[in-house]
Amino acid sequence: QVQLVQSGAEVKKPGASVKVSCKASGYTFTSYGISWVRQAPGQGLEWMGWISAYNGNTNYAQKLQGRVTMTTDTSTSTAYMELRSLRSDDTAVYYCARDLLPYDSSGYSHWGQGTLVTVSS
Amino acid sequence: DIQMTQSPSSVSASVGDRVTITCQASQGISSWLAWYQQKPGKAPKLLIYAASSLQSGVPSRFSGSGSGTDFTLTISSLQPEDFATYYCQQANSFPLTFGGGTKVEIK
């Protein structure tokens, strides 16, 4: 069965960086895109960006441009999201999510369990 | 960017009620719309994609409709497990924006 397993919770100081991993299993990794979505405490869902696991093409939310980098390692079927220059308002649960269909971002059929990133001095 | 506006932001309903949630896009997105259900402490769950296609395993009391800019999610007979927050998401063009959410609460 399809599974996305994320790395564990992180506590970071303002200005630091965090890198969250998302290990996929149960499907052909390179056939589906992966998106990252975050949710601040008590708030709604915020789309952060998307990466093609096929060729590494990315598309990022404009507000995060310059601070976020999404990558994949096809040898281990793992996606990564790195966020730099962390601020307190980056405190959130970060989710990876897989596209519903191959080469088609019609929705996200599978999600990771979420990774809580806390930014605090 | 395409803005997604959901209404209402919250609704109180009883088991067995019919519940309708609307989502409006700031520009036409054809049928590129998905609906998700999220329960506290859990990842979202895909209910509907392509505006009206029911995701595998989702009960048939959930249905979606609409195209262009106006969309609706309907729960035909609310069940206890349906109390949750619901989000729409446009999948027409990057960035793939979400609506603000609708919390369905027990009346």
Side-chain angles (χ1 to χ4, degrees), chain A residues 100, chain B residues 33 46-56 62-65:
Chain A
L100 169 65
Chain B
L33 186 97
L46 179 65
L47 301 175
I48 301 284
Y49 64 96
S52 60
S53 296
L54 194 66
Q55 170 65 347
S56 175
F62 292 93
S63 64
S65 64

Side-chain angles (χ1 to χ4, degrees), chain B residues 15-38:
Chain B
V15 172
D17 284 353
R18 181 182 185 89
V19 174
T20 299
I21 298 168
T22 64
C23 183
Q24 185 171 58
S26 60
Q27 64 190 74
I29 58 170
S30 185
S31 295
W32 293 99
L33 186 97
W35 289 98
Y36 300 88
Q37 175 194 68
Q38 187 181 33

Side-chain angles (χ1 to χ4, degrees), chain A residues 35 37 39 43-47 50 59-62 95 100-101 104-109 111-113, chain B residues 1 32-34 36 38 41-46 49-50 55 87 89 91 94-100:
Chain A
S35 288
V37 175
Q39 187 169 37
Q43 302 302 307
L45 302 172
E46 179 184 11
W47 184 84
W50 171 90
N59 196 294
Y60 299 139
Q62 188 169 10
Y95 294 102
L100 169 65
L101 299 170
D104 183 338
S105 297
S106 298
Y108 306 134
S109 56
W111 294 69
Q113 81 274 21
Chain B
D1 296 1
W32 293 99
L33 186 97
Y36 300 88
Q38 187 181 33
K42 300 294 188 182
K45 173 187 174 182
L46 179 65
Y49 64 96
Q55 170 65 347
Y87 295 92
Q89 182 197 25
F94 291 124
L96 305 182
T97 41
F98 289 93

Side-chain angles (χ1 to χ4, degrees), chain A residues 25-44:
Chain A
S25 61
Y27 70 96
T28 303
F29 182 69
T30 52
S31 293
Y32 295 80
I34 294 279
S35 288
W36 290 86
V37 175
R38 68 180 181 178
Q39 187 169 37
Q43 302 302 307

Side-chain angles (χ1 to χ4, degrees), chain B:
Chain B
D1 296 1
I2 299 174
Q3 308 303 318
M4 305 301 294
T5 303
Q6 272 185 250
S7 61
S9 57
S10 65
V11 58
S12 294
S14 301
V15 172
D17 284 353
R18 181 182 185 89
V19 174
T20 299
I21 298 168
T22 64
C23 183
Q24 185 171 58
S26 60
Q27 64 190 74
I29 58 170
S30 185
S31 295
W32 293 99
L33 186 97
W35 289 98
Y36 300 88
Q37 175 194 68
Q38 187 181 33
K39 296 181 178 180
K42 300 294 188 182
K45 173 187 174 182
L46 179 65
L47 301 175
I48 301 284
Y49 64 96
S52 60
S53 296
L54 194 66
Q55 170 65 347
S56 175
V58 174
S60 59
R61 62 180 179 273
F62 292 93
S63 64
S65 64
S67 67
T69 60
D70 295 301
F71 301 87
T72 300
L73 173 71
T74 299
I75 310 172
S76 61
S77 178
L78 198 65
Q79 298 301 300
E81 60 268 31
D82 301 336
F83 292 96
T85 301
Y86 294 83
Y87 295 92
C88 62
Q89 182 197 25
Q90 65 85 11
N92 181 74
S93 60
F94 291 124
L96 305 182
T97 41
F98 289 93
T102 296
K103 187 173 184 178
V104 177
E105 300 174 299
I106 302 172
K107 191 171 186 178

